[in-house]
Amino acid sequence: MSVVGIDVGFQNCYIAVARSGGIETIANEYSDRCTPACISLASKNRTIGNAAKSQIITNFKNTVHGFKKFHGRAFDDQFVQGEKSKLPYSLHKLDNGSAGIKVRYLNEDKVFTIEQMTAMLLTKLKETSEHALKKPVVDLALAYGIYKQDLPNPEEKPRNVVFVDIGHSSYQVSIASFNKGKLKVLATAFDPYLGGRNFDEMLVEYFCEDFKNRFKLNVKDNPRALLRLYQECEKLKKLMSANSSDLPLNIECFMNDIDVHGKMNRAQFEEMCAHLLMRVEAPLKSVMEQSKLSRDEIYAIEVVGGATRIPAIKERISKFFGKDISTTLNADEAVARGCALQPS
Ligand code: ATP
Ligand code: MG
């Protein structure tokens, strides 16, 4: 028997399979272990994952992404209303008051529920798993867990590990204590609205202002240009994680046939994101208080989630605990791998 673990992220999804030999992360038809949480509806077909992501700009009104946090929320919910103005596609109030997504699909206007969107995504992930396993998947294990050898024996002092996951949209921390064959979650804390996308937004705001001043462009009036700017800013953010010098941001034929160019460096970026970086500490404080552990009782800090690659975030976490953080887990795949190990 094999157990499949799926991590459905705000931006990315990962699949892992536990088989007799160990855990493996599964690649999709593009040989990519990461499948974008993206669905593109078109006049003749629908595409999901990598193929859909490439439609984000060309078919912006009908390419749906960033919907995970709408689950279980009413259309009138403050969060939904706040996101609405930033989305390239339309939200629609359903008869039961919840939020739906309005698209043009197979030449018809259609409204899908958030659950239907997630179902499409899961269908795709299930197909990818089946393809890799060469047999149908009947049960999907959506649970969290973790895998490590050489743990203390049951009668010995447990090993306390802090897990920090900062993804595209949210931040969570937990402390778990481990003995061989035993795991106990001691504390958890969240900042449900802090993730990599907040950092992208700061860059986007900066360049919108910069391009308005230098090129007289109103980027926010042009959804396609705004989406392109988001993509370029995310790339720039990632480059800044590896490089502290001035980095260029160039987009050809951006708007009104104008080529735009700008630049940014890590120090500037950290300064304009200071208010976001300040939010890293609160959940860490909270788990320490809940667990009543002292800092020297923490054996390791494991970080996962793409946004933990931002150097200033890593620094803050490591400074808080007064020790280096470890990345023995594959930052992107750990959640799915844990899922595959700990079927509910
Ligand atoms: P969530 O957990 O919030 O549902 P997710 O699981 O889809 O979201 P991840 O795949 O863990 O999110 O992380 C994606 C985020 O990490 C994006 O904001 C991405 O830009 C960011 N990211 C990835 N690599 C880097 C890097 N090298 N430097 C900075 N940020 C990065
Ligand atoms: Mg995630």
Side-chain angles (χ1 to χ4, degrees), residues 7-14 68-69 165-170 195-197 200 234 237-238 241 305-307 309-310 331-332:
D7 174 18
V8 182
F10 188 88
Q11 189 181 51
N12 301 306
C13 306
Y14 290 87
K68 172 172 144 172
K69 285 183 128 62
D165 178 356
I166 312 183
H168 192 53
S169 68
S170 61
R197 69 183 189 137
D200 299 345
E234 188 182 5
K237 174 188 71 174
K238 291 182 183 175
S241 294
R309 294 199 170 98
I310 296 176
D332 297 317

PDB file of all heavy atoms in Angstrom, residues 7-14 68-69 165-170 195-197 200 234 237-238 241 305-307 309-310 331-332, ligand 1:
ATOM      1  N   ASP A   7       0.271  18.741  -0.012  1.00  0.00           N
ATOM      2  CA  ASP A   7       0.307  20.057   0.611  1.00  0.00           C
ATOM      3  C   ASP A   7      -0.270  21.044  -0.393  1.00  0.00           C
ATOM      4  O   ASP A   7       0.354  21.344  -1.408  1.00  0.00           O
ATOM      5  CB  ASP A   7       1.752  20.423   0.965  1.00  0.00           C
ATOM      6  CG  ASP A   7       1.879  21.850   1.479  1.00  0.00           C
ATOM      7  OD1 ASP A   7       0.848  22.439   1.887  1.00  0.00           O
ATOM      8  OD2 ASP A   7       3.000  22.379   1.472  1.00  0.00           O
ATOM      9  N   VAL A   8      -1.476  21.500  -0.130  1.00  0.00           N
ATOM     10  CA  VAL A   8      -2.097  22.474  -1.023  1.00  0.00           C
ATOM     11  C   VAL A   8      -1.769  23.862  -0.495  1.00  0.00           C
ATOM     12  O   VAL A   8      -2.284  24.264   0.544  1.00  0.00           O
ATOM     13  CB  VAL A   8      -3.630  22.283  -1.089  1.00  0.00           C
ATOM     14  CG1 VAL A   8      -4.249  23.272  -2.061  1.00  0.00           C
ATOM     15  CG2 VAL A   8      -3.973  20.864  -1.502  1.00  0.00           C
ATOM     16  N   GLY A   9      -0.906  24.562  -1.172  1.00  0.00           N
ATOM     17  CA  GLY A   9      -0.501  25.886  -0.718  1.00  0.00           C
ATOM     18  C   GLY A   9      -1.307  26.982  -1.392  1.00  0.00           C
ATOM     19  O   GLY A   9      -2.103  26.730  -2.295  1.00  0.00           O
ATOM     20  N   PHE A  10      -1.087  28.192  -0.932  1.00  0.00           N
ATOM     21  CA  PHE A  10      -1.750  29.351  -1.539  1.00  0.00           C
ATOM     22  C   PHE A  10      -1.212  29.536  -2.954  1.00  0.00           C
ATOM     23  O   PHE A  10      -1.932  29.876  -3.873  1.00  0.00           O
ATOM     24  CB  PHE A  10      -1.427  30.582  -0.695  1.00  0.00           C
ATOM     25  CG  PHE A  10      -2.182  31.817  -1.073  1.00  0.00           C
ATOM     26  CD1 PHE A  10      -3.423  32.084  -0.508  1.00  0.00           C
ATOM     27  CD2 PHE A  10      -1.639  32.732  -1.962  1.00  0.00           C
ATOM     28  CE1 PHE A  10      -4.109  33.237  -0.838  1.00  0.00           C
ATOM     29  CE2 PHE A  10      -2.319  33.888  -2.299  1.00  0.00           C
ATOM     30  CZ  PHE A  10      -3.559  34.138  -1.739  1.00  0.00           C
ATOM     31  N   GLN A  11       0.081  29.261  -3.100  1.00  0.00           N
ATOM     32  CA  GLN A  11       0.720  29.434  -4.403  1.00  0.00           C
ATOM     33  C   GLN A  11       1.142  28.104  -5.031  1.00  0.00           C
ATOM     34  O   GLN A  11       1.021  27.933  -6.235  1.00  0.00           O
ATOM     35  CB  GLN A  11       1.961  30.322  -4.225  1.00  0.00           C
ATOM     36  CG  GLN A  11       2.610  30.753  -5.514  1.00  0.00           C
ATOM     37  CD  GLN A  11       3.850  31.610  -5.270  1.00  0.00           C
ATOM     38  OE1 GLN A  11       4.749  31.245  -4.501  1.00  0.00           O
ATOM     39  NE2 GLN A  11       3.885  32.759  -5.888  1.00  0.00           N
ATOM     40  N   ASN A  12       1.639  27.177  -4.210  1.00  0.00           N
ATOM     41  CA  ASN A  12       2.230  25.944  -4.729  1.00  0.00           C
ATOM     42  C   ASN A  12       1.700  24.704  -4.029  1.00  0.00           C
ATOM     43  O   ASN A  12       1.418  24.740  -2.844  1.00  0.00           O
ATOM     44  CB  ASN A  12       3.748  25.985  -4.516  1.00  0.00           C
ATOM     45  CG  ASN A  12       4.372  27.176  -5.198  1.00  0.00           C
ATOM     46  OD1 ASN A  12       4.181  27.389  -6.397  1.00  0.00           O
ATOM     47  ND2 ASN A  12       5.099  27.978  -4.442  1.00  0.00           N
ATOM     48  N   CYS A  13       1.643  23.594  -4.787  1.00  0.00           N
ATOM     49  CA  CYS A  13       1.218  22.322  -4.211  1.00  0.00           C
ATOM     50  C   CYS A  13       2.309  21.282  -4.401  1.00  0.00           C
ATOM     51  O   CYS A  13       2.987  21.268  -5.434  1.00  0.00           O
ATOM     52  CB  CYS A  13      -0.045  21.801  -4.887  1.00  0.00           C
ATOM     53  SG  CYS A  13      -1.372  23.003  -4.885  1.00  0.00           S
ATOM     54  N   TYR A  14       2.446  20.419  -3.396  1.00  0.00           N
ATOM     55  CA  TYR A  14       3.443  19.349  -3.455  1.00  0.00           C
ATOM     56  C   TYR A  14       2.782  18.023  -3.124  1.00  0.00           C
ATOM     57  O   TYR A  14       1.863  17.972  -2.314  1.00  0.00           O
ATOM     58  CB  TYR A  14       4.569  19.617  -2.458  1.00  0.00           C
ATOM     59  CG  TYR A  14       5.434  20.787  -2.874  1.00  0.00           C
ATOM     60  CD1 TYR A  14       5.092  22.086  -2.524  1.00  0.00           C
ATOM     61  CD2 TYR A  14       6.561  20.576  -3.655  1.00  0.00           C
ATOM     62  CE1 TYR A  14       5.861  23.162  -2.934  1.00  0.00           C
ATOM     63  CE2 TYR A  14       7.344  21.647  -4.056  1.00  0.00           C
ATOM     64  CZ  TYR A  14       6.986  22.939  -3.699  1.00  0.00           C
ATOM     65  OH  TYR A  14       7.749  23.987  -4.106  1.00  0.00           O
ATOM     66  N   LYS A  68      -7.187  30.168  -1.998  1.00  0.00           N
ATOM     67  CA  LYS A  68      -7.235  29.241  -0.860  1.00  0.00           C
ATOM     68  C   LYS A  68      -7.874  29.859   0.389  1.00  0.00           C
ATOM     69  O   LYS A  68      -8.637  29.208   1.095  1.00  0.00           O
ATOM     70  CB  LYS A  68      -5.810  28.770  -0.560  1.00  0.00           C
ATOM     71  CG  LYS A  68      -5.645  27.959   0.704  1.00  0.00           C
ATOM     72  CD  LYS A  68      -4.248  27.375   0.800  1.00  0.00           C
ATOM     73  CE  LYS A  68      -3.759  27.363   2.241  1.00  0.00           C
ATOM     74  NZ  LYS A  68      -2.494  26.644   2.405  1.00  0.00           N
ATOM     75  N   LYS A  69      -7.579  31.119   0.635  1.00  0.00           N
ATOM     76  CA  LYS A  69      -8.079  31.741   1.858  1.00  0.00           C
ATOM     77  C   LYS A  69      -9.550  32.165   1.794  1.00  0.00           C
ATOM     78  O   LYS A  69     -10.083  32.692   2.760  1.00  0.00           O
ATOM     79  CB  LYS A  69      -7.202  32.949   2.205  1.00  0.00           C
ATOM     80  CG  LYS A  69      -5.854  32.558   2.768  1.00  0.00           C
ATOM     81  CD  LYS A  69      -5.091  33.798   3.161  1.00  0.00           C
ATOM     82  CE  LYS A  69      -4.562  33.758   4.571  1.00  0.00           C
ATOM     83  NZ  LYS A  69      -3.631  32.717   4.857  1.00  0.00           N
ATOM     84  N   ASP A 165       6.909  27.767   9.387  1.00  0.00           N
ATOM     85  CA  ASP A 165       6.504  27.673   7.969  1.00  0.00           C
ATOM     86  C   ASP A 165       5.974  29.031   7.532  1.00  0.00           C
ATOM     87  O   ASP A 165       4.932  29.479   8.013  1.00  0.00           O
ATOM     88  CB  ASP A 165       5.426  26.583   7.821  1.00  0.00           C
ATOM     89  CG  ASP A 165       4.905  26.457   6.374  1.00  0.00           C
ATOM     90  OD1 ASP A 165       5.321  27.251   5.504  1.00  0.00           O
ATOM     91  OD2 ASP A 165       4.070  25.569   6.132  1.00  0.00           O
ATOM     92  N   ILE A 166       6.712  29.717   6.679  1.00  0.00           N
ATOM     93  CA  ILE A 166       6.198  30.977   6.115  1.00  0.00           C
ATOM     94  C   ILE A 166       6.056  30.776   4.616  1.00  0.00           C
ATOM     95  O   ILE A 166       7.033  30.612   3.892  1.00  0.00           O
ATOM     96  CB  ILE A 166       7.110  32.181   6.444  1.00  0.00           C
ATOM     97  CG1 ILE A 166       7.462  32.190   7.937  1.00  0.00           C
ATOM     98  CG2 ILE A 166       6.420  33.487   6.041  1.00  0.00           C
ATOM     99  CD1 ILE A 166       8.308  33.368   8.385  1.00  0.00           C
ATOM    100  N   GLY A 167       4.818  30.730   4.148  1.00  0.00           N
ATOM    101  CA  GLY A 167       4.535  30.471   2.745  1.00  0.00           C
ATOM    102  C   GLY A 167       4.275  31.752   1.973  1.00  0.00           C
ATOM    103  O   GLY A 167       4.864  32.801   2.260  1.00  0.00           O
ATOM    104  N   HIS A 168       3.373  31.678   1.013  1.00  0.00           N
ATOM    105  CA  HIS A 168       3.069  32.863   0.215  1.00  0.00           C
ATOM    106  C   HIS A 168       2.043  33.751   0.923  1.00  0.00           C
ATOM    107  O   HIS A 168       2.046  34.963   0.765  1.00  0.00           O
ATOM    108  CB  HIS A 168       2.539  32.434  -1.148  1.00  0.00           C
ATOM    109  CG  HIS A 168       2.465  33.546  -2.149  1.00  0.00           C
ATOM    110  ND1 HIS A 168       3.537  34.355  -2.435  1.00  0.00           N
ATOM    111  CD2 HIS A 168       1.448  33.983  -2.934  1.00  0.00           C
ATOM    112  CE1 HIS A 168       3.182  35.251  -3.347  1.00  0.00           C
ATOM    113  NE2 HIS A 168       1.925  35.044  -3.665  1.00  0.00           N
ATOM    114  N   SER A 169       1.162  33.124   1.700  1.00  0.00           N
ATOM    115  CA  SER A 169       0.075  33.908   2.285  1.00  0.00           C
ATOM    116  C   SER A 169       0.028  33.857   3.801  1.00  0.00           C
ATOM    117  O   SER A 169      -0.635  34.670   4.414  1.00  0.00           O
ATOM    118  CB  SER A 169      -1.266  33.397   1.756  1.00  0.00           C
ATOM    119  OG  SER A 169      -1.522  32.088   2.256  1.00  0.00           O
ATOM    120  N   SER A 170       0.688  32.883   4.429  1.00  0.00           N
ATOM    121  CA  SER A 170       0.514  32.768   5.874  1.00  0.00           C
ATOM    122  C   SER A 170       1.748  32.192   6.562  1.00  0.00           C
ATOM    123  O   SER A 170       2.628  31.621   5.930  1.00  0.00           O
ATOM    124  CB  SER A 170      -0.707  31.918   6.173  1.00  0.00           C
ATOM    125  OG  SER A 170      -0.519  30.634   5.636  1.00  0.00           O
ATOM    126  N   GLY A 195       3.022  36.532   4.725  1.00  0.00           N
ATOM    127  CA  GLY A 195       3.666  35.575   3.828  1.00  0.00           C
ATOM    128  C   GLY A 195       4.416  36.324   2.746  1.00  0.00           C
ATOM    129  O   GLY A 195       4.439  37.563   2.730  1.00  0.00           O
ATOM    130  N   GLY A 196       5.013  35.575   1.838  1.00  0.00           N
ATOM    131  CA  GLY A 196       5.822  36.174   0.779  1.00  0.00           C
ATOM    132  C   GLY A 196       5.083  37.216  -0.036  1.00  0.00           C
ATOM    133  O   GLY A 196       5.676  38.185  -0.508  1.00  0.00           O
ATOM    134  N   ARG A 197       3.770  37.036  -0.187  1.00  0.00           N
ATOM    135  CA  ARG A 197       3.053  37.983  -1.046  1.00  0.00           C
ATOM    136  C   ARG A 197       3.015  39.392  -0.467  1.00  0.00           C
ATOM    137  O   ARG A 197       2.942  40.376  -1.207  1.00  0.00           O
ATOM    138  CB  ARG A 197       1.647  37.490  -1.372  1.00  0.00           C
ATOM    139  CG  ARG A 197       0.700  37.473  -0.197  1.00  0.00           C
ATOM    140  CD  ARG A 197      -0.623  36.904  -0.643  1.00  0.00           C
ATOM    141  NE  ARG A 197      -1.617  37.054   0.384  1.00  0.00           N
ATOM    142  CZ  ARG A 197      -2.868  37.451   0.148  1.00  0.00           C
ATOM    143  NH1 ARG A 197      -3.251  37.722  -1.079  1.00  0.00           N
ATOM    144  NH2 ARG A 197      -3.724  37.551   1.124  1.00  0.00           N
ATOM    145  N   ASP A 200       6.016  40.969  -1.821  1.00  0.00           N
ATOM    146  CA  ASP A 200       5.821  41.313  -3.240  1.00  0.00           C
ATOM    147  C   ASP A 200       5.023  42.613  -3.354  1.00  0.00           C
ATOM    148  O   ASP A 200       5.332  43.483  -4.160  1.00  0.00           O
ATOM    149  CB  ASP A 200       5.035  40.208  -3.976  1.00  0.00           C
ATOM    150  CG  ASP A 200       5.755  38.869  -3.963  1.00  0.00           C
ATOM    151  OD1 ASP A 200       6.956  38.850  -3.649  1.00  0.00           O
ATOM    152  OD2 ASP A 200       5.111  37.850  -4.264  1.00  0.00           O
ATOM    153  N   GLU A 234       8.208  39.533  -7.792  1.00  0.00           N
ATOM    154  CA  GLU A 234       8.471  38.279  -7.070  1.00  0.00           C
ATOM    155  C   GLU A 234       9.849  37.730  -7.450  1.00  0.00           C
ATOM    156  O   GLU A 234      10.614  37.291  -6.600  1.00  0.00           O
ATOM    157  CB  GLU A 234       7.369  37.254  -7.341  1.00  0.00           C
ATOM    158  CG  GLU A 234       7.539  36.039  -6.433  1.00  0.00           C
ATOM    159  CD  GLU A 234       6.516  34.944  -6.651  1.00  0.00           C
ATOM    160  OE1 GLU A 234       5.692  35.045  -7.579  1.00  0.00           O
ATOM    161  OE2 GLU A 234       6.555  33.966  -5.884  1.00  0.00           O
ATOM    162  N   LYS A 237      12.437  39.817  -5.741  1.00  0.00           N
ATOM    163  CA  LYS A 237      12.511  39.451  -4.315  1.00  0.00           C
ATOM    164  C   LYS A 237      13.389  38.219  -4.126  1.00  0.00           C
ATOM    165  O   LYS A 237      14.229  38.177  -3.229  1.00  0.00           O
ATOM    166  CB  LYS A 237      11.085  39.184  -3.805  1.00  0.00           C
ATOM    167  CG  LYS A 237      11.012  38.650  -2.387  1.00  0.00           C
ATOM    168  CD  LYS A 237       9.595  38.231  -1.998  1.00  0.00           C
ATOM    169  CE  LYS A 237       9.156  36.962  -2.721  1.00  0.00           C
ATOM    170  NZ  LYS A 237       7.849  36.453  -2.254  1.00  0.00           N
ATOM    171  N   LYS A 238      13.192  37.211  -4.983  1.00  0.00           N
ATOM    172  CA  LYS A 238      13.982  35.983  -4.866  1.00  0.00           C
ATOM    173  C   LYS A 238      15.460  36.245  -5.147  1.00  0.00           C
ATOM    174  O   LYS A 238      16.330  35.723  -4.459  1.00  0.00           O
ATOM    175  CB  LYS A 238      13.443  34.905  -5.820  1.00  0.00           C
ATOM    176  CG  LYS A 238      12.075  34.392  -5.402  1.00  0.00           C
ATOM    177  CD  LYS A 238      11.604  33.297  -6.345  1.00  0.00           C
ATOM    178  CE  LYS A 238      10.211  32.830  -5.966  1.00  0.00           C
ATOM    179  NZ  LYS A 238       9.679  31.850  -6.931  1.00  0.00           N
ATOM    180  N   SER A 241      17.325  37.631  -2.282  1.00  0.00           N
ATOM    181  CA  SER A 241      17.684  36.674  -1.220  1.00  0.00           C
ATOM    182  C   SER A 241      19.097  36.163  -1.412  1.00  0.00           C
ATOM    183  O   SER A 241      19.760  35.768  -0.463  1.00  0.00           O
ATOM    184  CB  SER A 241      16.740  35.468  -1.229  1.00  0.00           C
ATOM    185  OG  SER A 241      15.449  35.851  -0.889  1.00  0.00           O
ATOM    186  N   GLY A 305       8.821  26.432   3.952  1.00  0.00           N
ATOM    187  CA  GLY A 305       8.041  27.498   3.322  1.00  0.00           C
ATOM    188  C   GLY A 305       8.970  28.460   2.602  1.00  0.00           C
ATOM    189  O   GLY A 305      10.045  28.812   3.100  1.00  0.00           O
ATOM    190  N   GLY A 306       8.570  28.851   1.404  1.00  0.00           N
ATOM    191  CA  GLY A 306       9.437  29.642   0.529  1.00  0.00           C
ATOM    192  C   GLY A 306       9.914  30.955   1.112  1.00  0.00           C
ATOM    193  O   GLY A 306      11.068  31.363   0.883  1.00  0.00           O
ATOM    194  N   ALA A 307       9.058  31.635   1.889  1.00  0.00           N
ATOM    195  CA  ALA A 307       9.420  32.973   2.352  1.00  0.00           C
ATOM    196  C   ALA A 307      10.500  32.935   3.431  1.00  0.00           C
ATOM    197  O   ALA A 307      11.117  33.961   3.730  1.00  0.00           O
ATOM    198  CB  ALA A 307       8.183  33.730   2.842  1.00  0.00           C
ATOM    199  N   ARG A 309      13.212  31.864   2.968  1.00  0.00           N
ATOM    200  CA  ARG A 309      14.486  32.067   2.270  1.00  0.00           C
ATOM    201  C   ARG A 309      14.919  33.531   2.295  1.00  0.00           C
ATOM    202  O   ARG A 309      16.032  33.854   1.912  1.00  0.00           O
ATOM    203  CB  ARG A 309      14.359  31.592   0.823  1.00  0.00           C
ATOM    204  CG  ARG A 309      14.143  30.104   0.719  1.00  0.00           C
ATOM    205  CD  ARG A 309      14.480  29.615  -0.681  1.00  0.00           C
ATOM    206  NE  ARG A 309      14.495  28.175  -0.739  1.00  0.00           N
ATOM    207  CZ  ARG A 309      13.475  27.435  -1.172  1.00  0.00           C
ATOM    208  NH1 ARG A 309      12.362  28.013  -1.575  1.00  0.00           N
ATOM    209  NH2 ARG A 309      13.579  26.132  -1.216  1.00  0.00           N
ATOM    210  N   ILE A 310      14.025  34.422   2.707  1.00  0.00           N
ATOM    211  CA  ILE A 310      14.407  35.841   2.806  1.00  0.00           C
ATOM    212  C   ILE A 310      15.416  35.978   3.955  1.00  0.00           C
ATOM    213  O   ILE A 310      15.099  35.633   5.094  1.00  0.00           O
ATOM    214  CB  ILE A 310      13.159  36.724   3.057  1.00  0.00           C
ATOM    215  CG1 ILE A 310      12.199  36.630   1.858  1.00  0.00           C
ATOM    216  CG2 ILE A 310      13.543  38.162   3.362  1.00  0.00           C
ATOM    217  CD1 ILE A 310      10.884  37.379   2.032  1.00  0.00           C
ATOM    218  N   ALA A 331      12.758  22.574   2.285  1.00  0.00           N
ATOM    219  CA  ALA A 331      11.844  23.668   2.636  1.00  0.00           C
ATOM    220  C   ALA A 331      10.525  23.615   1.878  1.00  0.00           C
ATOM    221  O   ALA A 331       9.483  23.970   2.409  1.00  0.00           O
ATOM    222  CB  ALA A 331      12.526  24.997   2.386  1.00  0.00           C
ATOM    223  N   ASP A 332      10.561  23.177   0.648  1.00  0.00           N
ATOM    224  CA  ASP A 332       9.337  23.207  -0.150  1.00  0.00           C
ATOM    225  C   ASP A 332       8.492  21.955   0.023  1.00  0.00           C
ATOM    226  O   ASP A 332       7.283  22.005  -0.066  1.00  0.00           O
ATOM    227  CB  ASP A 332       9.689  23.350  -1.634  1.00  0.00           C
ATOM    228  CG  ASP A 332      10.389  24.662  -1.911  1.00  0.00           C
ATOM    229  OD1 ASP A 332       9.939  25.682  -1.357  1.00  0.00           O
ATOM    230  OD2 ASP A 332      11.373  24.658  -2.650  1.00  0.00           O
TER     231      ASP A 332
HETATM  232  P1  ATP B   1       0.849  29.024   1.968  1.00  0.00           P
HETATM  233  O1  ATP B   1       1.686  28.121   2.832  1.00  0.00           O
HETATM  234  O2  ATP B   1       0.767  30.432   2.496  1.00  0.00           O
HETATM  235  O3  ATP B   1      -0.478  28.469   1.607  1.00  0.00           O
HETATM  236  P2  ATP B   1       2.513  28.155  -0.251  1.00  0.00           P
HETATM  237  O4  ATP B   1       2.699  26.871   0.517  1.00  0.00           O
HETATM  238  O5  ATP B   1       1.960  28.084  -1.621  1.00  0.00           O
HETATM  239  O6  ATP B   1       1.635  29.201   0.570  1.00  0.00           O
HETATM  240  P3  ATP B   1       5.390  28.312  -0.459  1.00  0.00           P
HETATM  241  O7  ATP B   1       5.475  27.491  -1.685  1.00  0.00           O
HETATM  242  O8  ATP B   1       5.886  27.722   0.831  1.00  0.00           O
HETATM  243  O9  ATP B   1       3.916  28.918  -0.285  1.00  0.00           O
HETATM  244  O10 ATP B   1       6.238  29.666  -0.645  1.00  0.00           O
HETATM  245  C1  ATP B   1       5.990  30.540  -1.707  1.00  0.00           C
HETATM  246  C2  ATP B   1       6.532  31.896  -1.327  1.00  0.00           C
HETATM  247  O11 ATP B   1       7.944  31.816  -1.103  1.00  0.00           O
HETATM  248  C3  ATP B   1       6.318  32.917  -2.442  1.00  0.00           C
HETATM  249  O12 ATP B   1       5.973  34.170  -1.877  1.00  0.00           O
HETATM  250  C4  ATP B   1       7.694  32.967  -3.085  1.00  0.00           C
HETATM  251  O13 ATP B   1       7.932  34.194  -3.741  1.00  0.00           O
HETATM  252  C5  ATP B   1       8.586  32.830  -1.861  1.00  0.00           C
HETATM  253  N1  ATP B   1       9.959  32.410  -2.199  1.00  0.00           N
HETATM  254  C6  ATP B   1      10.355  31.279  -2.834  1.00  0.00           C
HETATM  255  N2  ATP B   1      11.694  31.265  -2.993  1.00  0.00           N
HETATM  256  C7  ATP B   1      12.159  32.418  -2.445  1.00  0.00           C
HETATM  257  C8  ATP B   1      13.469  33.018  -2.296  1.00  0.00           C
HETATM  258  N3  ATP B   1      14.561  32.415  -2.762  1.00  0.00           N
HETATM  259  N4  ATP B   1      13.547  34.219  -1.678  1.00  0.00           N
HETATM  260  C9  ATP B   1      12.445  34.847  -1.209  1.00  0.00           C
HETATM  261  N5  ATP B   1      11.199  34.348  -1.320  1.00  0.00           N
HETATM  262  C10 ATP B   1      11.058  33.152  -1.932  1.00  0.00           C
END
